[in-house]
Amino acid sequence: MFIINAPVEQTIEIDHRIYLLKINAPKITSIIKPGQFLNVRVSERVFPLLRRPFSVCDVDGEHLYLMFNIMGEGTNILAHKPKGSTIDILGPLGNGFNLTGDYKTAVIVAGGLGAAPFPYFTRTLNGKKDIISFIGGRTKDDVITYNLKNVKEASDDGSRGFKGNVVQLLEENIELLKSKNIKVFACGPTVMLRALKDFCLKNNFNCEVSTECAMACGFGICQGCPIESTENEEKYLLVCKDGPVFNIKDVVI
Amino acid sequence: MNIDLSVKIGSLALRNPIMLASGTVGYGNEISEFTDLNKLGGIVTKSLSLKPRKGNPPQRIAETPAGMLNAIGLANVGVEVFLKEKIPFLKKFDVPLICNIAASTIEEYIECTRILTTEETIKAFEINISCPNVREGGLIFGNDLNAVAKITDKVRATTGKPIIIKLSPNVSYIAAFAKAAKDNGADAVSAINTLVGTAFNINTRKPKINNITGGLSGPAIKPVALAKVLEISREVDIPIIGIGGIMDWKDVIEFMIVGSSAVQIGTLNFIDPSAPGQIVQQLEEYCEKMSIEKISSLTSSYIL
């Protein structure tokens, strides 16, 4: 974990409302793993006060990319960071995806901005495992396929790809999935993850999921981000420190 | 010039006035990666209860203008696990360790103190009578002068170590509570705990945190905290540890001027966990520049 002041190299609007912030951060890019996150202080002012957590979207040499949409004041400031300004980053934080194992095909399942961690994931796994990406969103604008491979799309309103949610799209492809030795890696809204958990348990698919929760510090001292464990009812896990990636069997979603 | 940053809280000597507030440093291990604990005046543990507490379900926190609401619900490992698993790490540091104790009954305060007081690493106790986020105990005690008097008296009878009573700002006359603490043997008071607040989502019409209300902290509460410290300082002769929205060294000076002997840094640890160590350095530079030989001379140096 470091706190660094990193120069902003570029802010890219990759799709309308979806931004990529390109930062120079060799100290972090040399160690960060897919699925880990960073806690970003968007300004030195007291409003917004808290850091904003972002999963690492992509890494290219010394360049680090964060993906976000404008949700409020913090992300609005980030989207308008001028080139050459710096941002204060704390990270890398949390546990990333476990990419090792004897599976042959990584199945990415993402809804909306849940696609954010998977460009780096794809880059890291490229050539080592086969990848199929199931990407869903409410409408065509919410289906984010930036830097992903072998994409199957779904939208709730049918404006892009399969009409329905991404778990229904998995069901449609169940024979394909069953014919391969797969491991599922997922990130997205709670309703999606809930349906995905049922789907994976029913079909006995191993699945890791990246979770999210409002948090302040990002490294375990504020205790602000509990998630219910299936193993121990007496104690919460923390999204920031014990996660954000969990085996889907280990957490109550 | 040789600057003396040391301060005294009753019989508790600190190398400087910068302490880390309960609930914002866990049990020290995570923050030690960012700030050298040996450079600080003291650290206060997360509130400990007799048995482990799970805490409240999410959402536990929400950001507000210049502040944050939290309702963690005193999630903690309990005294037994604390002594077994957390103390060995804290033992490695040469920094006064203050244990914060939270309880649902007077008997539980006594029992926690009785168990913890035998551990030599623990130099003092901060008694949390003012947590706004649990149903029993906590703020119910903090709002009741007789309860504060009784808890202080009973804990006093249980330990010879310094006792600090952490006061709630959610009362109309905080000085009365400081006086009750003093009259019953407390060595100091810390002020303030968080202010009760809430925030609602205007689309769902639901509260932003699961507990409905939470404790407001951060720079938004600093003026309230300063006023409470000043009130105690003018009316009760007891050392005060000032807490509330400290973001930099200037805030520390301000808290000392209105009556604090030392301060605790809280919410800032979440934003910049390296800040406490830097603030110690900056205080020294300030004293040097202002020709202040002893930082303790700033305490209650207000001019009204």
Side-chain angles (χ1 to χ4, degrees):
Chain A
M1 290 191 287
F2 307 105
I3 300 173
I4 59 161
N5 248 327
V8 172
E9 300 198 335
Q10 208 179 350
T11 313
I12 312 152
E13 193 174 353
I14 52 168
D15 215 330
H16 78 287
R17 300 179 302 131
I18 308 295
Y19 292 83
L20 267 188
L21 192 68
K22 182 182 180 187
I23 307 155
N24 188 276
K27 209 169 171 182
I28 286 176
T29 57
S30 60
I31 54 171
I32 197 163
K33 298 191 181 81
Q36 286 191 297
F37 71 104
L38 302 148
N39 217 356
V40 176
R41 192 174 186 184
V42 299
S43 85
E44 296 229 324
R45 293 180 299 175
V46 295
F47 181 66
L49 180 68
L50 301 175
R51 289 175 182 270
R52 300 287 187 272
F54 297 97
S55 60
V56 52
C57 173
D58 205 355
V59 167
D60 181 6
E62 296 187 343
H63 309 298
L64 179 77
Y65 295 81
L66 305 179
M67 185 190 281
F68 59 96
N69 60 358
I70 299 181
M71 289 291 289
E73 191 52 33
T75 39
N76 187 38
I77 292 171
L78 267 193
H80 297 98
K81 278 277 174 189
K83 186 180 171 186
S85 61
T86 61
I87 56 168
D88 174 335
I89 302 176
L90 195 165
L93 298 169
N95 301 301
F97 292 105
N98 179 8
L99 304 183
T100 61
D102 61 4
Y103 66 97
K104 293 278 188 300
T105 304
V107 175
I108 294 170
V109 181
L113 262 181
F118 292 112
Y120 185 34
F121 177 97
T122 301
R123 184 188 292 272
T124 308
L125 218 50
N126 200 16
K128 299 187 183 101
K129 306 274 186 189
D130 294 333
I131 298 171
I132 311 175
S133 310
F134 289 83
I135 307 300
R138 273 172 306 181
T139 70
K140 61 178 169 32
D141 295 334
D142 306 307
V143 180
I144 303 164
T145 58
Y146 172 83
N147 274 11
L148 298 178
K149 271 182 64 179
N150 207 1
V151 177
K152 294 182 185 294
E153 300 173 347
S155 55
D156 293 351
D157 65 357
S159 56
R160 187 163 163 182
F162 172 80
K163 184 175 191 298
N165 68 48
V166 74
V167 178
Q168 290 168 331
L169 180 59
L170 290 170
E171 295 276 11
E172 287 283 309
N173 287 274
I174 189 70
E175 294 312 319
L176 170 76
L177 297 172
K178 281 192 165 167
S179 70
K180 295 173 181 293
N181 177 5
I182 68 163
K183 181 172 178 182
V184 179
F185 299 89
C187 183
T190 305
V191 281
M192 180 200 108
L193 297 183
R194 246 176 232 153
L196 181 66
K197 183 168 183 172
D198 292 343
F199 173 80
C200 287
L201 293 181
K202 186 177 72 186
N203 293 295
N204 203 22
F205 291 142
N206 187 10
C207 175
E208 283 188 9
V209 59
S210 178
T211 57
E212 67 176 345
C213 184
M215 60 179 70
C217 69
F219 57 94
I221 59 173
C222 76
Q223 299 275 316
C225 57
I227 184 166
E228 193 90 49
S229 146
T230 48
E231 299 259 300
N232 183 356
E233 275 184 25
E234 306 291 309
K235 202 171 165 261
Y236 283 111
L237 297 165
L238 292 181
V239 168
C240 72
K241 215 183 156 184
D242 301 310
V245 176
F246 295 98
N247 194 293
I248 206 163
K249 287 188 298 196
D250 296 340
V251 285
V252 178
I253 291 166
Chain B
M1 195 166 73
N2 233 347
I3 307 296
D4 181 5
L5 290 182
S6 71
V7 297
K8 283 192 99 175
I9 311 290
S11 61
L12 184 67
L14 309 180
R15 66 168 68 86
N16 61 60
I18 304 299
M19 304 166 75
L20 304 185
S22 179
T24 68
V25 289
Y27 308 104
N29 44 336
E30 294 95 351
I31 200 160
S32 69
E33 294 195 34
F34 298 101
T35 238
D36 181 357
L37 301 184
N38 290 332
K39 293 221 166 95
L40 303 176
I43 63 173
V44 190
T45 66
K46 174 82 187 154
S47 285
L48 293 163
S49 49
L50 195 54
K51 300 284 173 217
R53 291 184 75 127
K54 190 177 178 185
N56 294 328
Q59 300 287 328
R60 286 181 175 177
I61 63 164
E63 186 168 350
T64 57
M68 65 177 279
L69 289 165
N70 88 78
I72 308 300
L74 298 178
N76 81 95
V77 297
V79 290
E80 207 173 299
V81 175
F82 173 74
L83 287 173
K84 213 163 77 188
E85 294 176 14
K86 307 296 177 183
I87 278 281
F89 176 80
L90 290 161
K91 259 187 199 305
K92 294 186 217 161
F93 297 92
D94 173 30
V95 61
L97 176 68
I98 292 112
C99 267
N100 183 296
I101 296 176
S104 308
T105 63
I106 291 176
E107 290 71 31
E108 191 186 346
Y109 280 110
I110 297 168
E111 190 59 9
C112 286
T113 312
R114 192 186 62 74
I115 295 167
L116 292 168
T117 197
T118 55
E119 171 54 58
E120 58 172 355
T121 316
I122 299 166
K123 298 296 183 248
F125 293 102
E126 182 178 69
I127 307 301
N128 183 357
I129 52 158
S130 44
C131 176
N133 298 326
V134 291
R135 277 195 185 77
E136 327 84 43
L139 196 49
I140 295 171
F141 291 140
N143 270 322
D144 179 343
L145 266 179
N146 290 328
V148 172
K150 197 167 173 195
I151 292 165
T152 310
D153 178 59
K154 295 287 186 188
V155 173
R156 176 75 291 161
T158 313
T159 181
K161 293 178 180 177
I163 301 169
I164 302 154
I165 305 293
K166 188 163 183 176
L167 299 177
S168 170
N170 303 297
V171 296
S172 53
Y173 183 45
I174 199 170
F177 290 83
K179 187 164 188 309
K182 178 189 158 73
D183 291 348
N184 288 280
D187 297 274
V189 292
S190 46
I192 56 177
N193 206 324
T194 53
L195 287 149
V196 174
T198 190
F200 274 68
N201 179 317
I202 61 166
N203 297 316
T204 62
R205 303 188 185 188
K206 289 181 176 172
K208 288 187 180 174
I209 48 179
N210 183 283
N211 193 53
I212 306 175
T213 58
L216 180 65
S217 66
I221 73 166
K222 193 185 79 169
V224 178
L226 289 167
K228 299 289 181 189
V229 170
L230 182 64
E231 179 186 318
I232 299 165
S233 159
R234 293 179 75 183
E235 300 190 30
V236 188
D237 182 20
I238 188 168
I240 306 161
I241 301 169
I243 321 169
I246 290 174
M247 291 298 283
D248 57 30
W249 64 270
K250 287 175 279 190
D251 294 337
V252 176
I253 301 290
E254 198 175 1
F255 266 97
M256 292 190 76
I257 290 170
V258 299
S260 308
S261 296
V263 299
Q264 289 177 14
I265 293 175
T267 301
L268 177 58
N269 298 327
F270 302 153
I271 303 157
D272 184 0
S274 67
Q278 290 163 17
I279 288 175
V280 171
Q281 178 68 34
Q282 289 156 342
L283 285 178
E284 189 163 2
E285 288 162 15
Y286 165 81
C287 289
E288 178 93 45
K289 196 171 137 206
M290 302 299 284
S291 301
I292 296 165
E293 271 180 57
K294 285 178 178 291
I295 201 166
S296 59
S297 66
L298 285 171
T299 300
S300 299
S301 63
Y302 51 79
I303 298 163
L304 301 177

